[in-house]
PDB file of all heavy atoms in Angstrom:
ATOM      1  N   GLN R1025      43.469 -24.338   1.773  1.00  0.00           N
ATOM      2  CA  GLN R1025      42.062 -24.541   2.015  1.00  0.00           C
ATOM      3  C   GLN R1025      41.261 -23.278   1.915  1.00  0.00           C
ATOM      4  O   GLN R1025      41.766 -22.240   2.368  1.00  0.00           O
ATOM      5  CB  GLN R1025      41.884 -25.165   3.445  1.00  0.00           C
ATOM      6  CG  GLN R1025      40.540 -25.486   3.739  1.00  0.00           C
ATOM      7  CD  GLN R1025      40.378 -26.194   5.162  1.00  0.00           C
ATOM      8  OE1 GLN R1025      41.449 -26.522   5.800  1.00  0.00           O
ATOM      9  NE2 GLN R1025      39.283 -26.384   5.674  1.00  0.00           N
ATOM     10  N   ILE R1026      40.108 -23.346   1.354  1.00  0.00           N
ATOM     11  CA  ILE R1026      39.219 -22.033   1.206  1.00  0.00           C
ATOM     12  C   ILE R1026      38.648 -21.735   2.646  1.00  0.00           C
ATOM     13  O   ILE R1026      38.101 -22.630   3.290  1.00  0.00           O
ATOM     14  CB  ILE R1026      38.086 -22.239   0.237  1.00  0.00           C
ATOM     15  CG1 ILE R1026      38.699 -22.524  -1.207  1.00  0.00           C
ATOM     16  CG2 ILE R1026      37.141 -21.113   0.187  1.00  0.00           C
ATOM     17  CD1 ILE R1026      37.661 -22.896  -2.113  1.00  0.00           C
ATOM     18  N   PRO R1027      38.756 -20.523   3.098  1.00  0.00           N
ATOM     19  CA  PRO R1027      38.269 -20.129   4.402  1.00  0.00           C
ATOM     20  C   PRO R1027      36.796 -20.286   4.324  1.00  0.00           C
ATOM     21  O   PRO R1027      36.098 -20.139   3.355  1.00  0.00           O
ATOM     22  CB  PRO R1027      38.701 -18.698   4.530  1.00  0.00           C
ATOM     23  CG  PRO R1027      39.831 -18.434   3.623  1.00  0.00           C
ATOM     24  CD  PRO R1027      39.600 -19.404   2.435  1.00  0.00           C
ATOM     25  N   SER R1028      36.164 -20.525   5.556  1.00  0.00           N
ATOM     26  CA  SER R1028      34.786 -20.665   5.601  1.00  0.00           C
ATOM     27  C   SER R1028      34.106 -19.262   5.347  1.00  0.00           C
ATOM     28  O   SER R1028      34.765 -18.237   5.420  1.00  0.00           O
ATOM     29  CB  SER R1028      34.321 -21.172   6.939  1.00  0.00           C
ATOM     30  OG  SER R1028      34.551 -20.153   7.945  1.00  0.00           O
ATOM     31  N   ARG R1029      32.791 -19.234   4.986  1.00  0.00           N
ATOM     32  CA  ARG R1029      32.044 -18.026   4.861  1.00  0.00           C
ATOM     33  C   ARG R1029      32.201 -17.117   6.094  1.00  0.00           C
ATOM     34  O   ARG R1029      32.408 -15.866   6.082  1.00  0.00           O
ATOM     35  CB  ARG R1029      30.611 -18.297   4.617  1.00  0.00           C
ATOM     36  CG  ARG R1029      29.774 -17.071   4.373  1.00  0.00           C
ATOM     37  CD  ARG R1029      28.267 -17.495   4.252  1.00  0.00           C
ATOM     38  NE  ARG R1029      28.018 -18.294   3.109  1.00  0.00           N
ATOM     39  CZ  ARG R1029      27.668 -17.761   1.924  1.00  0.00           C
ATOM     40  NH1 ARG R1029      27.565 -16.433   1.824  1.00  0.00           N
ATOM     41  NH2 ARG R1029      27.454 -18.474   0.907  1.00  0.00           N
ATOM     42  N   GLU R1030      32.154 -17.804   7.298  1.00  0.00           N
ATOM     43  CA  GLU R1030      32.223 -17.015   8.503  1.00  0.00           C
ATOM     44  C   GLU R1030      33.544 -16.454   8.814  1.00  0.00           C
ATOM     45  O   GLU R1030      33.642 -15.274   9.206  1.00  0.00           O
ATOM     46  CB  GLU R1030      31.867 -17.961   9.726  1.00  0.00           C
ATOM     47  CG  GLU R1030      30.340 -18.417   9.822  1.00  0.00           C
ATOM     48  CD  GLU R1030      30.043 -19.395   8.715  1.00  0.00           C
ATOM     49  OE1 GLU R1030      30.925 -20.090   8.190  1.00  0.00           O
ATOM     50  OE2 GLU R1030      28.796 -19.499   8.362  1.00  0.00           O
ATOM     51  N   GLU R1031      34.666 -17.164   8.370  1.00  0.00           N
ATOM     52  CA  GLU R1031      35.997 -16.608   8.494  1.00  0.00           C
ATOM     53  C   GLU R1031      36.146 -15.410   7.495  1.00  0.00           C
ATOM     54  O   GLU R1031      36.812 -14.397   8.051  1.00  0.00           O
ATOM     55  CB  GLU R1031      36.984 -17.764   8.191  1.00  0.00           C
ATOM     56  CG  GLU R1031      37.096 -18.781   9.249  1.00  0.00           C
ATOM     57  CD  GLU R1031      37.959 -19.988   8.803  1.00  0.00           C
ATOM     58  OE1 GLU R1031      37.964 -20.246   7.651  1.00  0.00           O
ATOM     59  OE2 GLU R1031      38.595 -20.576   9.705  1.00  0.00           O
ATOM     60  N   MET R1032      35.682 -15.472   6.399  1.00  0.00           N
ATOM     61  CA  MET R1032      35.846 -14.385   5.456  1.00  0.00           C
ATOM     62  C   MET R1032      34.993 -13.200   5.872  1.00  0.00           C
ATOM     63  O   MET R1032      35.510 -12.026   5.784  1.00  0.00           O
ATOM     64  CB  MET R1032      35.532 -14.824   4.082  1.00  0.00           C
ATOM     65  CG  MET R1032      36.456 -15.898   3.494  1.00  0.00           C
ATOM     66  SD  MET R1032      36.426 -16.066   1.678  1.00  0.00           S
ATOM     67  CE  MET R1032      37.244 -14.594   1.123  1.00  0.00           C
ATOM     68  N   LEU R1033      33.862 -13.395   6.363  1.00  0.00           N
ATOM     69  CA  LEU R1033      32.997 -12.335   6.921  1.00  0.00           C
ATOM     70  C   LEU R1033      33.627 -11.677   8.085  1.00  0.00           C
ATOM     71  O   LEU R1033      33.606 -10.390   8.179  1.00  0.00           O
ATOM     72  CB  LEU R1033      31.644 -12.868   7.288  1.00  0.00           C
ATOM     73  CG  LEU R1033      30.696 -11.817   7.793  1.00  0.00           C
ATOM     74  CD1 LEU R1033      30.408 -10.750   6.815  1.00  0.00           C
ATOM     75  CD2 LEU R1033      29.309 -12.473   8.146  1.00  0.00           C
ATOM     76  N   HIS R1034      34.161 -12.442   8.968  1.00  0.00           N
ATOM     77  CA  HIS R1034      34.809 -11.813  10.128  1.00  0.00           C
ATOM     78  C   HIS R1034      36.012 -10.949   9.721  1.00  0.00           C
ATOM     79  O   HIS R1034      36.218  -9.924  10.373  1.00  0.00           O
ATOM     80  CB  HIS R1034      35.281 -12.967  11.070  1.00  0.00           C
ATOM     81  CG  HIS R1034      35.959 -12.472  12.369  1.00  0.00           C
ATOM     82  ND1 HIS R1034      35.309 -11.763  13.306  1.00  0.00           N
ATOM     83  CD2 HIS R1034      37.280 -12.623  12.696  1.00  0.00           C
ATOM     84  CE1 HIS R1034      36.151 -11.418  14.278  1.00  0.00           C
ATOM     85  NE2 HIS R1034      37.370 -11.907  13.978  1.00  0.00           N
ATOM     86  N   ALA R1035      36.772 -11.423   8.732  1.00  0.00           N
ATOM     87  CA  ALA R1035      37.923 -10.608   8.339  1.00  0.00           C
ATOM     88  C   ALA R1035      37.514  -9.297   7.745  1.00  0.00           C
ATOM     89  O   ALA R1035      38.029  -8.220   7.988  1.00  0.00           O
ATOM     90  CB  ALA R1035      38.712 -11.368   7.275  1.00  0.00           C
ATOM     91  N   LEU R1036      36.347  -9.281   7.044  1.00  0.00           N
ATOM     92  CA  LEU R1036      35.878  -8.025   6.407  1.00  0.00           C
ATOM     93  C   LEU R1036      35.224  -7.224   7.557  1.00  0.00           C
ATOM     94  O   LEU R1036      35.396  -5.989   7.546  1.00  0.00           O
ATOM     95  CB  LEU R1036      34.721  -8.430   5.354  1.00  0.00           C
ATOM     96  CG  LEU R1036      35.221  -9.000   4.117  1.00  0.00           C
ATOM     97  CD1 LEU R1036      34.114  -9.570   3.282  1.00  0.00           C
ATOM     98  CD2 LEU R1036      35.999  -7.919   3.291  1.00  0.00           C
ATOM     99  N   GLU R1037      34.605  -7.811   8.508  1.00  0.00           N
ATOM    100  CA  GLU R1037      34.028  -6.908   9.640  1.00  0.00           C
ATOM    101  C   GLU R1037      35.140  -6.256  10.398  1.00  0.00           C
ATOM    102  O   GLU R1037      34.993  -5.164  10.828  1.00  0.00           O
ATOM    103  CB  GLU R1037      33.203  -7.949  10.558  1.00  0.00           C
ATOM    104  CG  GLU R1037      31.952  -8.325   9.971  1.00  0.00           C
ATOM    105  CD  GLU R1037      31.170  -9.335  10.809  1.00  0.00           C
ATOM    106  OE1 GLU R1037      31.768  -9.905  11.729  1.00  0.00           O
ATOM    107  OE2 GLU R1037      29.936  -9.588  10.606  1.00  0.00           O
ATOM    108  N   GLU R1038      36.364  -6.933  10.504  1.00  0.00           N
ATOM    109  CA  GLU R1038      37.448  -6.332  11.305  1.00  0.00           C
ATOM    110  C   GLU R1038      37.987  -5.149  10.514  1.00  0.00           C
ATOM    111  O   GLU R1038      38.448  -4.259  11.099  1.00  0.00           O
ATOM    112  CB  GLU R1038      38.532  -7.432  11.466  1.00  0.00           C
ATOM    113  CG  GLU R1038      38.211  -8.331  12.651  1.00  0.00           C
ATOM    114  CD  GLU R1038      39.440  -9.188  12.877  1.00  0.00           C
ATOM    115  OE1 GLU R1038      40.192  -9.524  12.021  1.00  0.00           O
ATOM    116  OE2 GLU R1038      39.622  -9.592  14.125  1.00  0.00           O
ATOM    117  N   ARG R1039      37.826  -5.232   9.237  1.00  0.00           N
ATOM    118  CA  ARG R1039      38.371  -4.158   8.326  1.00  0.00           C
ATOM    119  C   ARG R1039      37.334  -2.945   8.264  1.00  0.00           C
ATOM    120  O   ARG R1039      37.642  -1.816   8.346  1.00  0.00           O
ATOM    121  CB  ARG R1039      38.623  -4.685   6.897  1.00  0.00           C
ATOM    122  CG  ARG R1039      39.066  -3.665   5.966  1.00  0.00           C
ATOM    123  CD  ARG R1039      40.485  -3.106   6.351  1.00  0.00           C
ATOM    124  NE  ARG R1039      41.484  -4.132   6.442  1.00  0.00           N
ATOM    125  CZ  ARG R1039      42.731  -3.891   6.840  1.00  0.00           C
ATOM    126  NH1 ARG R1039      43.105  -2.646   7.134  1.00  0.00           N
ATOM    127  NH2 ARG R1039      43.593  -4.793   6.885  1.00  0.00           N
ATOM    128  N   HIS R1040      36.066  -3.316   8.045  1.00  0.00           N
ATOM    129  CA  HIS R1040      35.074  -2.296   7.787  1.00  0.00           C
ATOM    130  C   HIS R1040      34.162  -1.931   8.982  1.00  0.00           C
ATOM    131  O   HIS R1040      33.479  -0.863   8.945  1.00  0.00           O
ATOM    132  CB  HIS R1040      34.183  -2.761   6.604  1.00  0.00           C
ATOM    133  CG  HIS R1040      34.846  -3.083   5.329  1.00  0.00           C
ATOM    134  ND1 HIS R1040      34.581  -4.102   4.528  1.00  0.00           N
ATOM    135  CD2 HIS R1040      35.948  -2.439   4.740  1.00  0.00           C
ATOM    136  CE1 HIS R1040      35.339  -4.039   3.501  1.00  0.00           C
ATOM    137  NE2 HIS R1040      36.210  -3.129   3.617  1.00  0.00           N
ATOM    138  N   GLY R1041      34.177  -2.744   9.928  1.00  0.00           N
ATOM    139  CA  GLY R1041      33.150  -2.590  11.101  1.00  0.00           C
ATOM    140  C   GLY R1041      31.943  -3.474  10.702  1.00  0.00           C
ATOM    141  O   GLY R1041      31.575  -3.595   9.570  1.00  0.00           O
ATOM    142  N   ILE R1042      31.295  -3.984  11.829  1.00  0.00           N
ATOM    143  CA  ILE R1042      30.142  -4.903  11.625  1.00  0.00           C
ATOM    144  C   ILE R1042      29.029  -4.309  10.957  1.00  0.00           C
ATOM    145  O   ILE R1042      28.457  -4.878   9.932  1.00  0.00           O
ATOM    146  CB  ILE R1042      29.781  -5.508  12.972  1.00  0.00           C
ATOM    147  CG1 ILE R1042      30.877  -6.267  13.582  1.00  0.00           C
ATOM    148  CG2 ILE R1042      28.463  -6.238  12.934  1.00  0.00           C
ATOM    149  CD1 ILE R1042      30.544  -6.764  15.008  1.00  0.00           C
ATOM    150  N   GLU R1043      28.585  -3.112  11.331  1.00  0.00           N
ATOM    151  CA  GLU R1043      27.441  -2.464  10.768  1.00  0.00           C
ATOM    152  C   GLU R1043      27.639  -2.047   9.281  1.00  0.00           C
ATOM    153  O   GLU R1043      26.815  -2.335   8.428  1.00  0.00           O
ATOM    154  CB  GLU R1043      26.992  -1.218  11.484  1.00  0.00           C
ATOM    155  CG  GLU R1043      26.456  -1.533  12.912  1.00  0.00           C
ATOM    156  CD  GLU R1043      25.370  -2.539  12.854  1.00  0.00           C
ATOM    157  OE1 GLU R1043      24.421  -2.391  12.032  1.00  0.00           O
ATOM    158  OE2 GLU R1043      25.352  -3.559  13.704  1.00  0.00           O
ATOM    159  N   THR R1044      28.767  -1.592   8.987  1.00  0.00           N
ATOM    160  CA  THR R1044      29.189  -1.243   7.575  1.00  0.00           C
ATOM    161  C   THR R1044      29.164  -2.556   6.701  1.00  0.00           C
ATOM    162  O   THR R1044      28.579  -2.568   5.595  1.00  0.00           O
ATOM    163  CB  THR R1044      30.462  -0.565   7.448  1.00  0.00           C
ATOM    164  OG1 THR R1044      30.418   0.751   8.131  1.00  0.00           O
ATOM    165  CG2 THR R1044      30.865  -0.368   6.044  1.00  0.00           C
ATOM    166  N   GLN R1045      29.728  -3.564   7.188  1.00  0.00           N
ATOM    167  CA  GLN R1045      29.686  -4.841   6.429  1.00  0.00           C
ATOM    168  C   GLN R1045      28.450  -5.370   6.272  1.00  0.00           C
ATOM    169  O   GLN R1045      28.122  -6.041   5.193  1.00  0.00           O
ATOM    170  CB  GLN R1045      30.769  -5.825   7.024  1.00  0.00           C
ATOM    171  CG  GLN R1045      31.093  -7.042   6.256  1.00  0.00           C
ATOM    172  CD  GLN R1045      31.579  -6.515   4.856  1.00  0.00           C
ATOM    173  OE1 GLN R1045      32.542  -5.798   4.796  1.00  0.00           O
ATOM    174  NE2 GLN R1045      31.042  -7.142   3.801  1.00  0.00           N
ATOM    175  N   LYS R1046      27.571  -5.266   7.182  1.00  0.00           N
ATOM    176  CA  LYS R1046      26.164  -5.710   6.953  1.00  0.00           C
ATOM    177  C   LYS R1046      25.511  -5.045   5.796  1.00  0.00           C
ATOM    178  O   LYS R1046      24.875  -5.675   4.985  1.00  0.00           O
ATOM    179  CB  LYS R1046      25.283  -5.357   8.205  1.00  0.00           C
ATOM    180  CG  LYS R1046      25.546  -6.438   9.413  1.00  0.00           C
ATOM    181  CD  LYS R1046      24.582  -6.105  10.568  1.00  0.00           C
ATOM    182  CE  LYS R1046      24.801  -7.026  11.715  1.00  0.00           C
ATOM    183  NZ  LYS R1046      23.831  -6.655  12.826  1.00  0.00           N
ATOM    184  N   ARG R1047      25.763  -3.773   5.568  1.00  0.00           N
ATOM    185  CA  ARG R1047      25.283  -3.009   4.451  1.00  0.00           C
ATOM    186  C   ARG R1047      25.824  -3.559   3.150  1.00  0.00           C
ATOM    187  O   ARG R1047      25.169  -3.757   2.133  1.00  0.00           O
ATOM    188  CB  ARG R1047      25.549  -1.516   4.528  1.00  0.00           C
ATOM    189  CG  ARG R1047      24.788  -0.831   5.716  1.00  0.00           C
ATOM    190  CD  ARG R1047      25.302   0.652   5.788  1.00  0.00           C
ATOM    191  NE  ARG R1047      24.676   1.246   6.940  1.00  0.00           N
ATOM    192  CZ  ARG R1047      23.875   2.371   6.834  1.00  0.00           C
ATOM    193  NH1 ARG R1047      23.772   3.007   5.596  1.00  0.00           N
ATOM    194  NH2 ARG R1047      23.346   2.976   7.841  1.00  0.00           N
ATOM    195  N   PHE R1048      27.169  -3.716   3.226  1.00  0.00           N
ATOM    196  CA  PHE R1048      27.862  -4.320   1.952  1.00  0.00           C
ATOM    197  C   PHE R1048      27.299  -5.757   1.628  1.00  0.00           C
ATOM    198  O   PHE R1048      27.021  -5.966   0.457  1.00  0.00           O
ATOM    199  CB  PHE R1048      29.331  -4.387   2.142  1.00  0.00           C
ATOM    200  CG  PHE R1048      30.041  -3.003   2.252  1.00  0.00           C
ATOM    201  CD1 PHE R1048      31.376  -2.940   2.581  1.00  0.00           C
ATOM    202  CD2 PHE R1048      29.299  -1.789   2.056  1.00  0.00           C
ATOM    203  CE1 PHE R1048      32.030  -1.648   2.702  1.00  0.00           C
ATOM    204  CE2 PHE R1048      29.938  -0.540   2.267  1.00  0.00           C
ATOM    205  CZ  PHE R1048      31.344  -0.521   2.525  1.00  0.00           C
ATOM    206  N   SER R1049      27.121  -6.547   2.593  1.00  0.00           N
ATOM    207  CA  SER R1049      26.761  -7.903   2.375  1.00  0.00           C
ATOM    208  C   SER R1049      25.397  -7.979   1.830  1.00  0.00           C
ATOM    209  O   SER R1049      24.990  -9.000   1.169  1.00  0.00           O
ATOM    210  CB  SER R1049      26.935  -8.746   3.656  1.00  0.00           C
ATOM    211  OG  SER R1049      28.265  -8.778   4.122  1.00  0.00           O
ATOM    212  N   LYS R1050      24.515  -7.146   2.251  1.00  0.00           N
ATOM    213  CA  LYS R1050      23.047  -7.078   1.812  1.00  0.00           C
ATOM    214  C   LYS R1050      22.859  -6.452   0.395  1.00  0.00           C
ATOM    215  O   LYS R1050      21.866  -6.665  -0.238  1.00  0.00           O
ATOM    216  CB  LYS R1050      22.151  -6.418   2.735  1.00  0.00           C
ATOM    217  CG  LYS R1050      22.028  -7.103   4.059  1.00  0.00           C
ATOM    218  CD  LYS R1050      20.919  -6.467   4.930  1.00  0.00           C
ATOM    219  CE  LYS R1050      21.127  -5.077   5.210  1.00  0.00           C
ATOM    220  NZ  LYS R1050      20.037  -4.471   6.078  1.00  0.00           N
ATOM    221  N   ALA R1051      23.950  -5.798  -0.084  1.00  0.00           N
ATOM    222  CA  ALA R1051      23.782  -4.979  -1.290  1.00  0.00           C
ATOM    223  C   ALA R1051      23.804  -5.837  -2.578  1.00  0.00           C
ATOM    224  O   ALA R1051      24.444  -6.894  -2.685  1.00  0.00           O
ATOM    225  CB  ALA R1051      24.912  -3.970  -1.421  1.00  0.00           C
ATOM    226  N   SER R1052      23.063  -5.402  -3.567  1.00  0.00           N
ATOM    227  CA  SER R1052      23.177  -5.987  -4.961  1.00  0.00           C
ATOM    228  C   SER R1052      23.526  -4.869  -5.871  1.00  0.00           C
ATOM    229  O   SER R1052      22.805  -3.808  -6.006  1.00  0.00           O
ATOM    230  CB  SER R1052      21.805  -6.640  -5.287  1.00  0.00           C
ATOM    231  OG  SER R1052      21.845  -7.164  -6.663  1.00  0.00           O
ATOM    232  N   VAL R1053      24.638  -4.992  -6.662  1.00  0.00           N
ATOM    233  CA  VAL R1053      25.113  -4.028  -7.460  1.00  0.00           C
ATOM    234  C   VAL R1053      25.234  -4.573  -8.919  1.00  0.00           C
ATOM    235  O   VAL R1053      25.791  -5.593  -9.134  1.00  0.00           O
ATOM    236  CB  VAL R1053      26.472  -3.517  -7.025  1.00  0.00           C
ATOM    237  CG1 VAL R1053      27.018  -2.442  -7.929  1.00  0.00           C
ATOM    238  CG2 VAL R1053      26.414  -2.942  -5.601  1.00  0.00           C
ATOM    239  N   ALA R1054      24.735  -3.718  -9.949  1.00  0.00           N
ATOM    240  CA  ALA R1054      24.904  -4.176 -11.245  1.00  0.00           C
ATOM    241  C   ALA R1054      26.111  -3.535 -11.931  1.00  0.00           C
ATOM    242  O   ALA R1054      26.361  -2.312 -11.670  1.00  0.00           O
ATOM    243  CB  ALA R1054      23.645  -3.855 -12.122  1.00  0.00           C
ATOM    244  N   ILE R1055      26.777  -4.296 -12.721  1.00  0.00           N
ATOM    245  CA  ILE R1055      28.003  -3.648 -13.503  1.00  0.00           C
ATOM    246  C   ILE R1055      27.783  -3.928 -14.979  1.00  0.00           C
ATOM    247  O   ILE R1055      27.724  -5.075 -15.384  1.00  0.00           O
ATOM    248  CB  ILE R1055      29.309  -4.306 -12.970  1.00  0.00           C
ATOM    249  CG1 ILE R1055      29.483  -4.054 -11.479  1.00  0.00           C
ATOM    250  CG2 ILE R1055      30.454  -3.676 -13.815  1.00  0.00           C
ATOM    251  CD1 ILE R1055      30.651  -4.845 -10.873  1.00  0.00           C
ATOM    252  N   CYS R1056      27.518  -2.805 -15.664  1.00  0.00           N
ATOM    253  CA  CYS R1056      27.215  -2.888 -17.031  1.00  0.00           C
ATOM    254  C   CYS R1056      28.353  -2.618 -17.918  1.00  0.00           C
ATOM    255  O   CYS R1056      28.819  -1.397 -18.006  1.00  0.00           O
ATOM    256  CB  CYS R1056      25.975  -1.995 -17.328  1.00  0.00           C
ATOM    257  SG  CYS R1056      24.688  -2.079 -16.163  1.00  0.00           S
ATOM    258  N   GLY R1057      28.855  -3.608 -18.501  1.00  0.00           N
ATOM    259  CA  GLY R1057      30.186  -3.437 -19.293  1.00  0.00           C
ATOM    260  C   GLY R1057      31.317  -4.000 -18.485  1.00  0.00           C
ATOM    261  O   GLY R1057      31.497  -3.540 -17.340  1.00  0.00           O
ATOM    262  N   LEU R1058      32.066  -5.000 -18.964  1.00  0.00           N
ATOM    263  CA  LEU R1058      33.087  -5.686 -18.155  1.00  0.00           C
ATOM    264  C   LEU R1058      34.430  -5.460 -18.743  1.00  0.00           C
ATOM    265  O   LEU R1058      35.271  -6.313 -18.802  1.00  0.00           O
ATOM    266  CB  LEU R1058      32.713  -7.140 -18.012  1.00  0.00           C
ATOM    267  CG  LEU R1058      31.407  -7.468 -17.499  1.00  0.00           C
ATOM    268  CD1 LEU R1058      31.132  -8.994 -17.340  1.00  0.00           C
ATOM    269  CD2 LEU R1058      31.191  -6.875 -16.133  1.00  0.00           C
TER     270      LEU R1058
END
């Protein structure tokens, strides 16, 4: 079963910290060339 958005976010927050993860979650990054 695919974890919920909240479950995946919580796992990332535990790894990175809540404030850091907020920055990552709000970011938009372009990747030119794949």
Side-chain angles (χ1 to χ4, degrees):
Q1025 183 177 355
I1026 297 175
S1028 68
R1029 182 187 294 270
E1030 291 71 23
E1031 288 171 327
M1032 295 196 74
L1033 178 60
H1034 180 65
L1036 289 167
E1037 289 174 343
E1038 286 192 323
R1039 178 64 59 183
H1040 301 143
I1042 293 174
E1043 293 305 315
T1044 295
Q1045 190 55 50
K1046 281 182 180 178
R1047 292 176 182 238
F1048 293 174
S1049 297
K1050 291 192 301 182
S1052 179
V1053 179
I1055 302 171
C1056 307
L1058 304 179

